[in-house]
Amino acid sequence: MNRVHTFAFRLLIASFILCSCFVAGTLAQTTSPSPAPMKTPESKPANQNGANPFAPESAPPLPTGMKGSDAGDPRAKLSPGMYNAGEVAMGMKHVMLLKKPDAFQLGSDDADNPKVQKTLGQLGIGNASMMPKPLQLVFAQLAFANSDLAFQGNHLFMGNFYGVSIYDISNPAKTNLLTSMQCPGGQGDVSVYKNLLFMSVEMPNGRLDCSPQGFAPAAGQENKPAAQKERFRGVRIFDISDIRNPKQVGAVQTCRGSHTHTLVVDPKDKNNAYIYVSGTSFVRQSAELAGCSDEAPDKNPNTALFRIDVIKVPLAAPQNARIVSSPRVFMDPRTGALNGLNNGGTHENNQLTRPSDTDQCHDITVYSAIGLAAGACSGNGILLDIKDPVNPKRVDAVNDPNYAYWHSASFSNDGKKVVFTDEWGGGLGARCRANDPNVWGANAVFRLTDNKLSFASYYKLPSAQGDSENCVAHNGSLIPVPGRDIKVQAWYQGGISLMDFTDAAHPVEIAYFDRGPIDPKMLVLGGSWSAYWYNGHIYSSEIARGLDIFELTPTRFLTQNEIDAAKTVRVAELNVQNQEKIGWSRQLVVAKAYIDQLERSQALSSERIAALRQAIQRAESSQLNRRELKNLKSLAPSLEKNTALTKSGADAVRLQALTEILRRPAL
């Protein structure tokens, strides 16, 4: 492809490639605030003759001493297709796929279709003739990509670059669409709290009134669009009291837009909610939003780089929401330099690059129960003290030369581990091929002790994926199996994988689902953006296809008792980046899950396991009558002795929890 110098196309690249989840190749690792010339997902110049720049390209040889993924896995050779691709699963049942609403479909795979040109125009590309036809089609499709998920009661909220869809999941097997709200602006990340829905807007086609026409390109502007008083980039606020008819009631503008955001609820403040805004795109002109600057911190200490923004939302008057602080979470505490963190160098073309400054967070997960947040901040993983939610303070930071782009984070339920993901290739690259190192584009598990992070291990999708399948670590959540740390996670066209990281040094896969590539000859963006557990099911936002719903099934890695115990945990609301502490009841099914785990680890003898199961079965059959309750309680003292003798910390926790249930069980 010829070099494109129109401002609109460079702007699109800035939004979709340089600073978004679609960061491509080495552009995913840059911190430059200005758009860069387009490169293909393989970080090589596009062909000058107009050939398809998204044609599959094989991975280079593995660097010396590194290993790749397993090309012999059943997932490695699935047949392609949009809705008829080959599928394979282990430990998961695919309940259903709901296709995208028509309003969120491009509706054509023909680059000459007038709708393609109309969509590109809405994105600000006035003359797409210099783009190869396949590339035009790819970017037009991106304008309708599904993104993140949030949950409340019997409702699922799915973000999309074109708006939000709301589903009724009261019966997951019969999930149906309630409404779709068209409101373009990318990337449409959502969270929900009480009667309010929050939505991230980053791309420059977003308008205050949600209308889809975008803004006409203006000649002569190479790096940024002309200032527009009707442009919106930031966080939208909707009232969802009428779930079928959301109404925008607030809109907070930010200098870099909102790539993602995090809902923060202060236990001491019942009248307000807080939003941490992660802006990763270019800084808008001050003529469009006063006070915005993309200058280096030594030239302008008020630069919009090297910070996050904190929005305070009065629950009774969301229209008065405003930015109340812009914490300098990258500052060097000794010198006061705003650019106090860097990536320490990272891999590029199998070579280590020079360190570059970190000036943005991609995603922040808050865990208010322990007063901490984990920030995945492009070049670093950082730990924040959020006891004062308006003024988060960095308490630790790590980097890793194997990480290209720190993308998201999850705490273990006990707060003793943090999992960071690396979005190497930005989500638009095939990064799970047999020759891609299994420590690049992976998870990193860190131990967390006394507010300090220490590296424990890596985990990457074990199965090799094809050259046309965008694949890298992406969004996931904990599955509330008592006694274990299990995370379900999206890997784009790598599908969904369940990782057990109970042993921080040896994380393992225990279940998966995967489809074949959308197109075997061209890399088309698709696959699972987010895979989250909510009240007994796994829901996956499939970028190109729609909404997938799954159930877990028992295997030697996960028993039915463990699945049933996880299903006892019910929450009224789920915003994954606002992590809440999981608690389990004293139901006997939870005790049975612990017993299965103790049998698996051989922490108790087979005779003891059999006796416990028999006692629990009798207690259940008797509806917990007095005699059987007494019998259960009599088993507790001997288990306590085992707790003191066991060498495994995980088994000690399980034995203690089992003992407490036997002493005071509940049906």
Side-chain angles (χ1 to χ4, degrees):
M1 182 180 71
N2 295 326
R3 292 187 65 194
V4 180
H5 292 291
T6 67
F7 96 89
F9 185 60
R10 289 170 61 101
L11 176 58
L12 182 63
I13 299 310
S15 297
F16 272 110
I17 302 299
L18 178 59
C19 306
S20 78
C21 268
F22 306 128
V23 172
T26 58
L27 295 183
Q29 303 157 32
T30 182
T31 56
S32 168
S34 300
M38 173 62 183
K39 296 185 180 181
T40 73
E42 303 302 327
S43 302
K44 296 182 179 180
N47 296 332
Q48 297 294 319
N49 60 6
N52 175 19
F54 286 89
E57 183 174 342
S58 298
L62 278 166
T64 303
M66 290 192 174
K67 296 180 179 180
S69 299
D70 181 9
D73 189 283
R75 290 165 278 183
K77 300 294 182 181
L78 295 173
S79 58
M82 184 65 172
Y83 298 111
N84 60 345
E87 296 180 356
V88 65
M90 187 270 288
M92 297 178 69
K93 174 187 175 183
H94 189 201
V95 175
M96 67 183 308
L97 166 66
L98 278 78
K99 294 182 181 180
K100 282 184 183 180
D102 290 343
F104 292 169
Q105 299 267 17
L106 179 62
S108 175
D109 57 5
D110 178 5
D112 292 320
N113 189 303
K115 190 170 183 180
V116 172
Q117 299 307 313
K118 178 182 177 181
T119 300
L120 293 176
Q122 290 171 344
L123 292 172
I125 302 176
N127 179 10
S129 61
M130 299 177 70
M131 298 168 60
K133 289 295 181 67
L135 187 58
Q136 293 180 32
L137 183 62
V138 166
F139 277 113
Q141 290 168 334
L142 291 182
F144 299 93
N146 282 334
S147 58
D148 211 2
L149 302 172
F151 305 82
Q152 186 182 74
N154 290 326
H155 297 132
L156 178 150
F157 302 83
M158 177 185 282
N160 183 287
F161 276 64
Y162 208 70
V164 178
S165 292
I166 304 175
Y167 294 86
D168 180 344
I169 56 171
S170 53
N171 181 345
K174 296 182 179 180
T175 292
N176 63 87
L177 178 68
L178 291 178
T179 189
S180 287
M181 176 180 64
Q182 298 180 48
C183 189
Q187 69 180 19
D189 274 16
V190 290
S191 60
V192 60
Y193 185 61
K194 297 189 175 182
N195 67 313
L196 299 178
L197 171 72
F198 305 96
M199 176 185 178
S200 286
V201 181
E202 181 176 57
M203 290 176 57
N205 65 319
R207 299 182 65 96
L208 286 168
D209 62 357
C210 282
S211 55
Q213 68 263 32
F215 296 93
Q221 298 287 334
E222 289 267 334
N223 294 326
K224 295 182 181 179
Q228 299 281 353
K229 64 179 182 179
E230 296 299 317
R231 177 173 285 119
F232 180 78
R233 297 174 68 209
V235 176
R236 299 188 192 273
I237 306 171
F238 296 90
D239 187 320
I240 53 172
S241 300
D242 179 355
I243 197 68
R244 295 178 181 271
N245 190 27
K247 298 291 187 183
Q248 183 167 297
V249 294
V252 182
Q253 300 268 21
T254 65
C255 288
R256 299 183 76 174
S258 175
H259 188 64
T260 68
H261 70 265
T262 302
L263 173 71
V264 185
V265 179
D266 183 358
K268 303 183 296 295
D269 184 354
K270 303 299 183 183
N271 298 320
N272 301 286
Y274 297 88
I275 302 292
Y276 288 177
V277 181
S278 296
T280 65
S281 188
F282 65 92
V283 178
R284 63 209 303 182
Q285 299 176 66
S286 59
E288 184 171 281
L289 184 62
C292 294
S293 166
D294 62 1
E295 291 184 295
D298 57 343
K299 293 183 178 180
N300 186 350
N302 295 318
T303 177
L305 306 176
F306 304 100
R307 76 186 196 198
I308 63 173
D309 292 317
V310 179
I311 297 172
K312 181 178 181 179
V313 184
L315 299 178
Q319 68 276 12
N320 296 331
R322 63 186 180 89
I323 295 173
V324 292
S325 69
S326 296
R328 295 296 188 178
V329 295
F330 309 115
M331 181 184 292
D332 186 326
R334 298 164 300 175
T335 65
L338 303 185
N339 54 338
L341 290 181
N342 61 62
N343 62 14
T346 188
H347 57 83
E348 181 181 320
N349 298 325
N350 293 350
Q351 295 182 344
L352 190 66
T353 65
R354 291 194 304 176
S356 58
D357 289 343
T358 297
D359 76 351
Q360 60 185 257
C361 282
H362 181 279
D363 223 324
I364 300 171
T365 296
V366 299
Y367 197 178
S368 296
I370 62 173
L372 294 174
C377 300
S378 64
N380 299 85
I382 69 174
L383 193 67
L384 299 170
D385 181 327
I386 59 165
K387 295 182 182 67
D388 176 1
V390 176
N391 298 291
K393 307 291 185 185
R394 190 179 84 244
V395 293
D396 198 22
V398 291
N399 56 29
D400 186 339
N402 284 321
Y403 261 42
Y405 192 86
W406 297 68
H407 177 274
S408 54
S410 301
F411 289 90
S412 61
N413 190 56
D414 63 7
K416 296 181 179 179
K417 307 180 191 107
V418 181
V419 178
F420 287 103
T421 66
D422 171 26
E423 198 185 38
W424 171 41
L428 199 59
R431 292 294 184 266
C432 301
R433 299 160 295 185
N435 280 358
D436 288 322
N438 60 9
V439 296
W440 295 0
N443 296 341
V445 182
F446 283 80
R447 297 184 179 92
L448 176 55
T449 307
D450 297 329
N451 288 352
K452 293 295 180 184
L453 295 163
S454 60
F455 174 78
S457 63
Y458 296 109
Y459 170 87
K460 189 171 182 178
L461 185 72
S463 169
Q465 300 289 306
D467 293 337
S468 68
E469 293 179 280
N470 57 300
C471 177
V472 75
H474 215 235
N475 296 341
S477 74
L478 297 186
I479 294 182
V481 174
R484 300 174 72 176
D485 294 317
I486 298 175
K487 182 181 181 183
V488 58
Q489 186 172 342
W491 292 80
Y492 289 114
Q493 285 198 74
I496 297 169
S497 176
L498 266 66
M499 172 188 71
D500 183 329
F501 64 107
T502 309
D503 180 351
H506 301 96
V508 295
E509 183 177 62
I510 61 171
Y512 62 76
F513 170 84
D514 192 16
R515 287 187 177 95
I518 292 175
D519 190 319
K521 298 180 180 180
M522 182 173 75
L523 198 157
V524 177
L525 183 71
S528 180
W529 177 291
S530 300
Y532 298 149
W533 169 279
Y534 179 69
N535 290 347
H537 286 78
I538 292 168
Y539 299 87
S540 169
S541 171
E542 217 291 349
I543 296 169
R545 297 177 173 98
L547 173 65
D548 279 310
I549 304 173
F550 303 90
E551 282 186 310
L552 293 180
T553 58
T555 66
R556 65 188 179 93
F557 303 110
L558 190 68
T559 68
Q560 188 64 55
N561 286 328
E562 290 176 296
I563 296 169
D564 291 342
K567 289 182 177 181
T568 67
V569 177
R570 310 288 293 185
V571 296
E573 210 167 72
L574 180 66
N575 300 288
V576 170
Q577 288 73 37
N578 177 25
Q579 190 167 330
E580 297 190 24
K581 194 169 185 64
I582 301 166
W584 289 270
S585 70
R586 299 192 313 278
Q587 294 181 55
L588 289 177
V589 68
V590 178
K592 290 191 284 188
Y594 288 128
I595 292 170
D596 289 351
Q597 294 164 10
L598 294 166
E599 180 181 45
R600 187 184 292 121
S601 65
Q602 300 181 336
L604 294 176
S605 68
S606 57
E607 292 80 11
R608 179 70 67 82
I609 294 290
L612 286 166
R613 285 177 174 153
Q614 186 178 40
I616 288 175
Q617 183 179 16
R618 287 199 302 265
E620 288 178 323
S621 299
S622 73
Q623 296 293 302
L624 292 182
N625 68 27
R626 184 176 298 179
R627 185 178 69 179
E628 298 303 336
L629 278 173
K630 184 177 180 180
N631 184 42
L632 286 179
K633 189 173 181 179
S634 71
L635 299 173
S638 60
L639 288 176
E640 269 192 324
K641 293 180 181 178
N642 283 94
T643 302
L645 295 173
T646 186
K647 296 180 181 180
S648 164
D651 282 336
V653 171
R654 293 163 183 155
L655 282 164
Q656 183 60 43
L658 175 58
T659 300
E660 292 173 1
I661 295 174
L662 295 181
R663 283 191 171 130
R664 294 186 303 126
L667 278 176

